[in-house]
């Protein structure tokens, strides 16, 4: 072998090795991407738990208000039986105010149910994506490690550095990594979109609506008093209220046929 040929091989081996050393190790990059996805998945699961906890607090508050609602109705009937229409009116007025508060709580509870369902769906989708990414990650890492070992063996046998084919394989793995990152970005966009909260700000004419609600509540109290006067001998009640822990959800609702 001539000195010129040996010198060319030495230069080629040195430059090729430097070029490959500068390339990012896809195994480390894949592991980092996987860890980031696990952190994102944990954040989504924590959000699901937080919303579920808040929904449970609203449910407990609704149960307390339902119990008070029922007690006020009983107090009104007892007052009428004792001939105290003033006390019956006061109890019914308080119950009318409580009913409007329960209606707002029912809306909040319904919104939280919908938000919980959306977050749970996102969590399931993201879990599947992370599991699929992990399988592909390990496959790519194993392939890369095997290829790396083969390159080292070829270098030892042939006495030259990494080949151009190995550079092409590294570029292909880099393209695969970019595709994985794009999929993760799309999943992140979906999760951000699902976190939008319902706007509960008051309408510009809320003051008029409140005044009309007061007049309506007063008319309803008068109607209930008249109904109690008519039902007093038989002890019947014209109000509908479902018993049980979730009975508060039926307050103010139209009776089922």
């Amino acid at each position: 072998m001539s000195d010129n040929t040996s010198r060319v091989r030495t230069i080629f081996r040195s430059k090729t090795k430097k070029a490959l050393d500068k390339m990012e190790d896809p195994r480390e990059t894949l592991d980092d991407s996987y860890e980031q996805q696990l952190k994102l998945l944990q954040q989504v699961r924590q959000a699901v738990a937080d919303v579920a906890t808040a929904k449970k607090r609203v449910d407990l508050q609704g149960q307390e208000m339902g119990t008070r609602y029922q007690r006020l109705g009983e107090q009104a009937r007892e007052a009428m039986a004792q001939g105290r229409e003033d006390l019956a009116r006061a109890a019914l007025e308080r119950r009318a105010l409580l009913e409007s508060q329960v209606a707002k709580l029912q809306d909040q509870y319904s919104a939280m149910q919908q938000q919980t369902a959306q977050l749970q769906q996102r969590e399931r989708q993201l879990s599947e994506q992370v599991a699929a990414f992990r399988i592909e990650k390990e496959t790519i890492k194993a392939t890369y490690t095997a290829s790396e070992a083969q390159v080292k063996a070829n270098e030892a046998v042939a006495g030259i550095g990494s080949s151009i084919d190995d550079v092409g394989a590294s570029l292909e793995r880099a393209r695969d990594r970019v595709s994985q990152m794009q999929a993760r970005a799309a999943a992140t966009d979906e999760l951000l979109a699902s976190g939008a909260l319902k706007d509960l700000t008051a309408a510009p004419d809320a003051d008029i609506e409140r005044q009309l609600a007061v007049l309506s509540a007063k008319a309803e109290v008068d109607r209930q008093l008249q109904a109690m006067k008519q039902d007093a001998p038989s002890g019947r009640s014209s109000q509908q209220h479902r018993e049980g822990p979730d009975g508060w959800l039926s307050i103010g609702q139209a009776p089922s046929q």
Side-chain angles (χ1 to χ4, degrees):
M1 182 182 296
S2 65
D3 292 341
N4 289 337
T5 301
S6 178
R7 186 164 52 252
V8 168
R9 284 192 173 186
T10 300
I11 294 173
F12 178 78
R13 180 170 61 249
S14 176
K15 290 187 176 181
T16 304
K17 188 176 187 303
K18 288 181 179 179
L20 290 177
D21 288 343
K22 291 180 180 179
M23 293 185 66
E24 187 177 50
D25 189 340
R27 293 169 296 188
E28 296 178 359
T29 303
L30 289 171
D31 285 339
D32 290 342
S33 297
Y34 181 67
E35 290 298 325
Q36 291 298 322
Q37 291 187 42
L38 288 179
K39 290 180 181 178
L40 178 60
L41 180 59
Q42 182 60 33
Q43 291 175 2
V44 174
R45 287 173 174 169
Q46 183 61 47
V48 172
D50 291 342
V51 173
T53 301
K55 186 170 69 118
K56 184 60 178 178
R57 286 198 297 265
V58 170
D59 181 57
L60 292 175
Q61 185 178 0
Q63 292 181 28
E64 293 177 359
M65 295 174 73
T67 300
R68 184 187 172 201
Y69 181 89
Q70 184 178 6
R71 186 171 63 250
L72 285 171
E74 294 171 352
Q75 290 175 344
R77 288 190 292 272
E78 183 179 354
M80 287 298 298
Q82 298 295 331
R84 292 295 304 275
E85 182 176 336
D86 56 330
L87 290 180
R89 176 179 292 276
L92 290 176
E93 287 175 347
R94 292 181 185 180
R95 193 167 75 158
L97 177 60
L98 185 63
E99 184 173 331
S100 65
Q101 295 173 349
V102 170
K104 294 179 181 179
L105 201 64
Q106 289 170 344
D107 291 340
Q108 187 178 2
Y109 185 82
S110 177
M112 285 184 173
Q113 281 185 314
Q114 182 178 3
Q115 187 178 6
T116 299
Q118 291 175 347
L119 284 174
Q120 288 174 341
Q121 177 64 19
R122 299 301 182 189
E123 189 271 338
R124 285 191 294 267
Q125 293 175 348
L126 186 57
S127 295
E128 294 174 357
Q129 291 174 354
V130 171
F133 180 84
R134 180 181 180 278
I135 295 175
E136 186 170 1
K137 171 181 74 75
E138 294 301 326
T139 302
I140 293 176
K141 286 175 60 178
T143 303
Y144 184 89
T145 300
S147 299
E148 186 179 53
Q150 183 179 359
V151 168
K152 291 180 179 179
N154 291 340
E155 287 178 349
V157 173
I160 61 174
S162 302
S163 65
I164 298 300
D165 290 339
D166 185 68
V167 174
S170 299
L171 290 175
E172 185 63 26
R173 286 190 293 271
R175 293 189 187 99
D176 291 341
R177 185 175 63 84
V178 170
S179 297
Q180 294 294 335
M181 294 299 290
Q182 288 175 337
R184 177 171 173 264
T188 304
D189 289 339
E190 291 180 0
L191 290 169
L192 289 177
S194 70
L197 297 178
K198 182 180 179 182
D199 185 8
L200 300 177
T201 54
D205 301 322
D207 56 333
I208 296 178
E209 293 181 1
R210 284 195 300 269
Q211 295 181 40
L212 291 174
V214 171
L215 294 175
S216 178
K218 184 178 182 302
E220 177 62 17
V221 169
D222 292 335
R223 186 192 67 77
Q224 292 182 25
L225 281 173
Q226 184 62 31
M228 284 184 177
K229 290 178 181 179
Q230 295 175 357
D231 296 341
S234 60
R236 294 177 302 167
S237 173
S238 59
Q239 295 298 314
Q240 298 292 330
H241 176 65
R242 190 170 68 245
E243 300 294 330
D246 61 342
W248 68 276
L249 292 173
S250 66
I251 294 176
Q253 305 299 318
S256 59
Q257 299 297 329

